[in-house]
Structure formats: C-alpha cells, structure tokens
Amino acid sequence: MKRILLMVFRNILLVPFMWCRLCYYAAHVDKYTEEQHYRMLRFIVKRANKGGNVHIDVYGEKNIPKENGFMFFPNHQGLYDVLAIVEACPTPVSVVAKKEIKDIQFLKQVIACMKGYLLDRSDVRQAMQVIIDVSKEVKKGRNYIIFPEGTRSRNGNQAGEFKGGSFKAATMAKCPIVPVALIDSFKPFDTNTISPVNVQVHFLPPMEYDEYKDMKTSEIAGTVQKKIQETIDKNI
C-alpha cells in the first residue's frame, strides 16, 4: 500500500487525467486497437514504476517470438506480476487472471483494456470455456499470459507447483510456449516498503509445438517450472 501511495503522490498532476483515460479505455474496449490500449497501459505502468522506485531489468527480449500467437507462462509472485511483464514486453499481450481481480481497482481496468479473461477456478465448465476461447484467439494471432501456478506462491522466489491444465490452451493452439522467470516481483505490492527495488523479467527460449507435442501437459508443466526455477536460482 505504501508504494502505491508513493506512485500516486509522485505522479499527482498526471493521475486524474490518466485515471480517467484508463477508465474510459476500459469501458470502450472496442473503440481502440489492441496496440493503442497496450501503448497507453505501458505509459501508465512506466510512470508508476518510476514514481514508486521500481526498476524493471529485462533479459532475453530476443526470445519473444517475432510472429504473434504465442503464450507466456510465468511464475506467479504477486499482484505486480502482470505490470512487470507489460513494461518488459513491447509486444501487445493479454492475460488470463483469477476472477477475484474484478474487485481490485486499477487492476480490473488494466485487465479490461487487455481484453483479458477472468477465470473462475471453482467452475470447471467456465474454466474449460476460457481455455477454448483463449486457444482460438491465440490461433488468430493474439498473445496471452497464463500463470500455471494458479495463484500466488507467497514463497518469494520459490515457485509453486505448475498445473498441467494451465497448458491446455497452448497445446490446443499449437503455439510457442515462452517460460518467463520473475524475480522479486512480489516486493513492489506485497511488501510494506517503499525502498527501491529491482524486478527481473527473464524471457526464456520458447518451446515450439514440435518440441512438446508428444508430451503430457503435466510433463510440459514440470519442464517449464524447472527452467524457470533454475533461472531464478542463478540470478538471485
């Protein structure tokens, strides 16, 4: 909470304008292109990060596929994760988030602008429909973020168990799977401090469909988790 207040205070002259703009974009998602939405979000996130003493260190940007229609699978450390990836990734990307986000101001507007999906983990039918819808959109060239842990690990830089079901949309879309290692992403919003923090975002080499097509989703999950945890361990 302290850092959010700092972000607002240091951007106090800009906040009213950008808040109104964000809410307007979120309420009129079809009025603007995906690129326009994403450009606006990145501007807000960069200004907020600068004001809040948050610096994003980006590694492996060359591993982001040049062709659209891919999926990021990051470890999930906290509420800040999506914002870290938005600043780090220049290519428009959407997200699948848990339904509880709809009750969090700012984040729910961000998800709306990204045309993201809210997943109800207690509703198997709704969750399956989200997977089907996302796979169709990825086939058409949209890019998505899915957190395979399903929820925040709450163990800092130790990733939780990756769920095989999280990878079903990728296998259905036959798209590149890009593991993303987040380091210290829990610190901006999940710790009660305003000290400067560096968040690391590592885009790892993508797994192409031919590489994982014969693997079970549980095996894909284990492979991606291992790659991410190894990257975290090497860089903390």
Side-chain angles (χ1 to χ4, degrees):
M1 177 58 74
K2 286 183 180 180
R3 195 177 303 273
I4 294 174
L5 293 176
L6 182 65
M7 289 175 170
V8 171
F9 177 74
R10 286 186 171 173
N11 290 283
I12 194 66
L13 297 179
L14 189 65
V15 166
F17 169 72
M18 293 310 301
W19 174 248
C20 291
R21 191 178 182 192
L22 176 64
C23 290
Y24 186 82
Y25 271 57
H28 301 85
V29 292
D30 294 326
K31 186 174 180 178
Y32 302 95
T33 66
E34 188 163 21
E35 289 73 19
Q36 288 173 317
H37 278 291
Y38 199 67
R39 187 163 54 247
M40 182 268 300
L41 288 176
R42 291 192 84 205
F43 175 79
I44 292 175
V45 170
K46 287 181 179 181
R47 290 300 297 260
N49 284 341
K50 185 176 181 179
N53 292 334
V54 182
H55 179 75
I56 307 296
D57 294 317
V58 185
Y59 303 88
E61 187 175 331
K62 68 180 186 301
N63 291 322
I64 300 173
K66 299 296 186 290
E67 305 246 337
N68 286 326
F70 58 84
M71 297 188 71
F72 287 144
F73 287 90
N75 55 308
H76 196 4
Q77 294 195 342
L79 294 172
Y80 183 76
D81 295 348
V82 171
L83 303 183
I85 295 173
V86 166
E87 173 163 342
C89 179
T91 305
V93 63
S94 188
V95 64
V96 176
K98 58 185 180 180
K99 68 172 185 177
E100 288 78 7
I101 293 293
K102 68 180 177 61
D103 298 320
I104 303 176
Q105 290 296 327
F106 180 67
L107 288 182
K108 74 174 185 179
Q109 283 84 8
V110 169
I111 300 300
C113 286
M114 296 174 79
K115 292 187 178 181
Y117 284 93
L118 295 178
L119 185 70
D120 185 350
R121 290 171 294 176
S122 65
D123 187 337
V124 176
R125 181 174 295 180
Q126 188 265 358
M128 192 63 215
Q129 188 59 53
V130 167
I131 289 170
I132 293 171
D133 291 343
V134 168
S135 67
K136 289 179 179 177
E137 292 197 14
V138 172
K139 285 181 180 179
K140 293 178 181 178
R142 295 196 76 214
N143 312 310
Y144 271 87
I145 303 166
I146 289 185
F147 294 99
E149 289 161 276
T151 189
R152 290 178 275 173
S153 68
R154 298 188 185 278
N155 289 316
N157 290 311
Q158 182 65 45
E161 179 187 0
F162 282 23
K163 310 296 193 299
S166 302
F167 293 87
K168 287 182 180 178
T171 59
M172 292 171 68
K174 301 180 180 180
C175 69
I177 290 173
V178 184
V180 182
L182 300 177
I183 299 176
D184 291 340
S185 187
F186 64 95
K187 291 183 177 180
F189 287 172
D190 292 78
T191 58
N192 194 29
T193 178
I194 58 173
S195 300
V197 59
N198 281 18
V199 174
Q200 298 180 43
V201 180
H202 296 257
F203 298 106
L204 307 187
M207 295 174 62
E208 301 292 342
Y209 179 65
D210 285 345
E211 183 180 347
Y212 68 79
K213 65 180 181 181
D214 296 323
M215 299 170 65
K216 297 178 180 178
T217 53
S218 59
E219 294 174 327
I220 299 172
T223 299
V224 172
Q225 180 178 349
K226 181 180 179 182
K227 289 181 177 182
I228 288 175
Q229 192 61 57
E230 287 177 349
T231 300
I232 292 173
D233 293 341
K234 287 178 183 177
N235 290 278
I236 56 175

